[in-house]
């Protein structure tokens, strides 16, 4: 009888596990199929554009207040001239859609504590603290609904350098600029948990969580329709108690997807967030993941950051990420007037042109079933027990023969995805050999669609 009980218990646990996994897979379905989204870092820091009192602040951008050790009073003065009169939510979302992106995540509140929405929890927001005087998230939500993109909010739950009690990551003053008072400031930050202004520590972190963070997350999840993603960041000084309070608010949006930065390790969220890098195959552990990456060298707008990634790099990053079952969250940092930098616009257009032709090889695909390929990457789709491979060729074979090592499945067809031209394919001892044109149809990434029998 005991053995029977244990057997039934094991069966019950297995069934619950399968049910939970099925529910999670359904929960993540749209996100996994999307593969490509836009990150937007925008706030008061765009007004400074990486400069403070005649100095270019290293690692400035959205971190300029911390890196430059700007006082609360001085930083709040900046908001009085932040007036993004050229902000056009419709144009932003259309640019994302035309690039082939399926969702947007915007900094509703970054570490400087400035809310880009009307908030009853703090007057430090774009409606109450600037001449602009309007909530920028409402029109963004409307535009996302119009164009069919999912909307997500980034919210800095722990670090807040303006609302009293918020945490502050300690950074060396010299990282900002050669401040002659560096030694004095660094000693102060060491003694005051990273803070550099007494105004920041006039309340406890518990008070900040209860009076600002929790109420603002409630506002974000109540006032803007469907919220697809909540993107937490830098859990500095977070505790499980604080995290539980914030996680409880998520019940306002039952279908919301969250990342892994609320509080580690006990609050893993739905997906991992490698930053500014693409993991190797060996670094992946089977969990959903999303690489967030800048188009130049910074997240928030800096007037002098011109290290823009080429369209080739952006497209090949997207392909590489999709070939490993990941998502690509590509950042744009609008300027103080609310405009996308021209180089960002150009990059998005370049990706969009490629995606209009090759999007089928990215959306709703799974990672490569093949070993590392010397000429490029592979994505796949499985339907009715058969597999379609999308071969993304970066390095076009000079001899006109593309070798797909290890592929032994019966090949029903091979063709260029762009235009549909059929290609001859032969199975040999070294794998599938596809005869290709002398010149690559797309120098960045030519996609060959291979339909096979069986699964891989």
């Amino acid at each position: 009888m005991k053995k029977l009980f244990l057997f039934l218990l094991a069966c019950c646990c297995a069934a619950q596990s399968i049910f939970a996994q099925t529910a999670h897979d359904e929960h993540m379905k749209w996100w996994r199929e999307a593969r490509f989204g836009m990150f937007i870092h925008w706030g008061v820091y765009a007004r400074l554009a990486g400069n403070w009192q005649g100095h270019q602040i290293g690692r400035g951008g959205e971190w300029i207040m911390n890196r430059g050790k700007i006082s609360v009073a001085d930083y709040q003065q900046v908001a009085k001239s932040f007036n993004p009169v050229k902000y056009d939510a419709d144009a932003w979302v259309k640019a994302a859609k035309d690039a082939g992106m399926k969702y947007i995540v915007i900094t509703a509140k970054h570490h400087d504590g400035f809310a880009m929405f009307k908030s009853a929890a703090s007057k430090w927001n774009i409606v109450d603290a600037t001449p602009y005087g309007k909530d920028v998230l409402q029109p963004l939500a409307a535009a996302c609904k119009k164009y069919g993109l999912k909307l997500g909010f980034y919210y800095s739950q722990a670090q807040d350098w303006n609302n009293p009690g918020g945490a502050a990551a300690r950074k060396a003053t010299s990282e900002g600029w050669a401040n002659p008072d560096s030694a004095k400031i660094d000693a102060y930050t060491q003694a005051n948990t990273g803070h550099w202004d007494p105004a920041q520590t006039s309340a406890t972190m518990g008070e900040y969580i209860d009076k600002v963070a929790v109420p603002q997350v409630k506002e974000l999840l109540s006032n803007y329709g469907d919220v697809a993603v909540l993107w937490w960041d830098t859990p500095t000084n977070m505790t499980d108690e604080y995290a539980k309070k914030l996680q409880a608010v998520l019940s306002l949006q039952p279908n919301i997807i969250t990342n892994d930065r609320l509080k580690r390790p006990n609050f893993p969220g739905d997906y991992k967030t490698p930053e500014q890098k693409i993991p190797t195959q060996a670094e992946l552990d089977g969990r959903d993941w999303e690489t967030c990456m800048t188009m130049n060298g910074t997240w928030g707008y800096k007037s002098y950051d011109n290290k823009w990634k080429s369209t080739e790099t952006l497209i090949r990053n997207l392909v590489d990420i999709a070939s490993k079952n990941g998502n690509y969250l590509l950042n744009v940092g609008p300027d103080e007037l609310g405009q996308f930098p021209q180089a960002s616009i150009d990059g998005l257009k370049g990706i969009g042109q490629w995606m209009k032709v090759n999007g089928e090889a990215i959306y709703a695909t799974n990672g490569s079933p093949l070993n590392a390929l010397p000429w490029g990457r592979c994505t796949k789709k499985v339907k009715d027990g058969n597999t379609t491979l999308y071969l993304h060729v970066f390095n076009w074979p000079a001899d006109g023969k593309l070798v797909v090592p290890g592929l032994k499945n019966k090949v029903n067809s091979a063709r260029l995805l762009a235009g549909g031209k059929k290609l001859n394919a032969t199975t040999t001892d070294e794998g599938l050999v596809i005869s290709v044109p002398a010149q690559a149809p797309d120098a960045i990434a030519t996609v060959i669609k291979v339909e096979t029998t069986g699964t891989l």
Side-chain angles (χ1 to χ4, degrees):
M1 185 63 72
K2 183 178 180 181
K3 287 183 178 180
L4 177 61
F5 172 76
L6 292 173
F7 173 75
L8 293 174
L9 181 62
C11 289
C12 181
C13 290
Q16 287 180 329
S17 178
I18 292 170
F19 176 79
Q21 185 60 48
T22 301
H24 180 69
D25 289 342
E26 185 62 30
H27 179 66
M28 297 297 292
K29 185 175 185 293
W30 77 260
W31 188 91
R32 291 172 179 169
E33 293 181 350
R35 287 289 173 240
F36 192 25
M38 177 181 283
F39 218 176
I40 300 175
H41 276 68
W42 194 40
V44 169
Y45 41 82
R47 175 75 181 88
L48 297 176
N51 302 279
W52 178 245
Q53 296 183 343
H55 302 282
Q56 289 187 356
I57 305 300
R59 305 189 183 188
E62 73 289 349
W63 274 79
I64 193 168
M65 184 182 178
N66 187 320
R67 303 289 183 170
K69 299 299 182 283
I70 304 170
S71 71
V72 170
D74 284 343
Y75 195 78
Q76 291 188 357
Q77 280 294 119
V78 176
K80 294 181 178 179
S81 59
F82 181 53
N83 192 19
V85 293
K86 294 189 176 181
Y87 169 57
D88 183 345
D90 195 274
W92 282 18
V93 178
K94 188 174 187 303
K97 184 179 179 65
D98 289 348
M101 292 160 161
K102 297 294 188 180
Y103 60 108
I104 289 175
V105 177
I106 186 171
T107 51
K109 189 197 81 167
H110 208 276
H111 305 327
D112 63 355
F114 186 76
M116 298 296 283
F117 58 98
K118 172 65 175 176
S119 176
S122 170
K123 292 293 186 182
W124 182 232
N125 69 73
I126 194 167
V127 178
D128 295 319
T130 77
Y132 187 68
K134 290 179 284 186
D135 184 319
V136 300
L137 301 188
Q138 289 286 4
L140 189 68
C144 282
K145 186 174 182 180
K146 173 183 175 181
Y147 288 105
L149 271 69
K150 301 279 190 179
L151 176 63
F153 294 137
Y154 167 115
Y155 187 85
S156 176
Q157 77 280 11
Q159 288 205 75
D160 189 317
W161 309 323
N162 270 272
N163 290 297
R170 184 169 182 257
K171 302 295 181 181
T173 304
S174 60
E175 290 185 6
W177 64 286
N179 190 325
D181 294 327
S182 290
K184 180 181 177 182
I185 295 171
D186 288 346
Y188 186 89
T189 61
Q190 185 173 26
N192 291 276
T193 58
H195 299 93
W196 57 94
D197 185 335
Q200 297 168 321
T201 51
S202 59
T204 66
M205 189 165 180
E207 290 171 325
Y208 156 75
I209 293 291
D210 290 342
K211 295 180 180 179
V212 178
V214 168
Q216 285 190 335
V217 173
K218 285 182 179 178
E219 290 171 336
L220 288 170
L221 301 188
S222 301
N223 300 336
Y224 300 93
D226 291 337
V227 180
V229 175
L230 201 300
W231 215 99
W232 309 110
D233 200 18
T234 62
T236 307
N237 298 340
M238 282 292 290
T239 65
D240 283 5
E241 178 189 2
Y242 299 156
K244 286 176 182 176
K245 291 181 178 182
L246 289 160
Q247 191 172 55
V249 184
L250 299 177
S251 62
L252 292 169
Q253 296 274 347
N255 297 319
I256 201 164
I257 291 170
T258 64
N259 70 351
D260 61 342
R261 300 190 184 192
L262 174 58
K263 164 67 169 67
R264 297 185 177 107
N266 296 338
F267 298 82
D270 294 304
Y271 63 96
K272 299 172 74 171
T273 53
E275 184 170 325
Q276 296 284 44
K277 72 168 191 171
I278 301 172
T280 64
Q281 198 68 48
E283 291 172 321
L284 302 177
D285 61 2
R287 285 198 65 198
D288 290 295
W289 63 278
E290 171 191 78
T291 281
C292 56
M293 191 177 287
T294 53
M295 295 181 76
N296 54 350
T298 190
W299 300 98
Y301 178 74
K302 283 169 69 174
S303 59
Y304 49 89
D305 183 352
N306 295 307
K307 297 178 180 177
W308 296 97
K309 295 177 178 66
S310 66
T311 300
E312 175 183 287
T313 295
L314 297 173
I315 290 171
R316 290 187 176 183
N317 281 347
L318 173 60
V319 170
D320 188 18
I321 289 166
S323 78
K324 298 170 182 171
N325 271 324
N327 281 19
Y328 193 24
L329 189 64
L330 185 61
N331 183 72
V332 176
D335 67 18
E336 64 168 297
L337 295 177
Q339 304 169 117
F340 284 6
Q342 187 59 47
S344 292
I345 294 172
D346 294 343
L348 292 172
K349 285 182 177 178
I351 302 170
Q353 290 170 358
W354 187 88
M355 287 291 281
K356 283 177 184 175
V357 175
N358 300 291
E360 176 188 331
I362 298 295
Y363 302 130
T365 59
N366 295 116
S368 175
L370 306 173
N371 292 327
L373 301 166
W375 40 257
R377 301 291 185 271
C378 174
T379 54
K380 74 170 185 179
K381 292 179 180 176
V382 177
K383 184 178 181 181
D384 299 329
N386 296 317
T387 303
T388 299
L389 299 177
Y390 297 95
L391 310 178
H392 303 253
V393 187
F394 299 164
N395 305 311
W396 199 249
D399 63 358
K401 304 293 182 184
L402 185 77
V403 179
V404 187
L407 182 57
K408 300 298 184 182
N409 290 46
K410 178 186 176 184
V411 173
N412 300 316
S413 70
R415 65 184 69 233
L416 294 173
L417 187 58
K421 179 182 178 181
K422 289 186 178 181
L423 304 174
N424 290 325
T426 306
T427 300
T428 69
D429 290 340
E430 57 181 335
L432 185 70
V433 179
I434 304 173
S435 297
V436 298
Q439 298 294 324
D442 190 314
I444 292 176
T446 296
V447 180
I448 298 172
K449 181 177 180 178
V450 179
E451 295 181 340
T452 73
T453 297
T455 58
L456 283 100

